[in-house]
Amino acid sequence: MKTKYKVGDKVRIKDSLRDMIGRRTSLNTYINSSMASHIGKVTTIRKTNVAGYTCYHLDGAGDWVWDDTMLEPVDTPIIKPRKKLKSRIRF
């Protein structure tokens, strides 16, 4: 099963989860009050589990599991390639 995020990806725990504390996401993951301190933070995917649906373990977010609906990608800056410089050295 293909996962939305892979180990090492930077993600943000969605701010909209503050309204969901004490309830379940659409993928049936319960959001408890202890998870609230992590909401809005940027973190890295540490581990993925696939058991009917994909859940993620995040660096610095305890042993809680997070699902696809709880996370959003962190935009990485686009690095433009350098223009190729013409050599002025003549042989």
Side-chain angles (χ1 to χ4, degrees):
M1 178 179 200
K2 187 175 179 181
T3 61
K4 184 173 181 179
Y5 303 105
K6 62 183 182 302
V7 173
D9 284 353
K10 290 275 188 196
V11 294
R12 178 178 291 107
I13 301 169
K14 291 182 180 179
D15 286 319
S16 60
L17 294 178
R18 291 189 199 286
D19 300 331
M20 299 278 300
I21 295 170
R23 300 191 334 217
R24 294 186 180 277
T25 68
S26 59
L27 294 176
N28 206 31
T29 304
Y30 184 76
I31 304 168
N32 67 41
S33 58
S34 297
M35 297 167 88
S37 63
H38 304 292
I39 293 173
K41 292 187 178 176
V42 174
T43 184
T44 305
I45 303 287
R46 175 173 35 110
K47 179 180 167 184
T48 60
N49 288 333
V50 180
Y53 70 95
T54 303
C55 60
Y56 304 95
H57 296 268
L58 308 175
D59 280 341
D63 288 327
W64 304 114
V65 294
W66 309 83
D67 67 39
D68 287 332
T69 65
M70 304 165 91
L71 306 173
E72 57 192 5
V74 173
D75 294 330
T76 54
I78 298 172
I79 300 172
K80 294 182 180 179
R82 288 185 172 189
K83 291 182 180 178
K84 190 172 184 179
L85 300 175
K86 292 183 180 179
S87 174
R88 294 184 184 246
I89 300 173
R90 296 187 185 199
F91 296 95

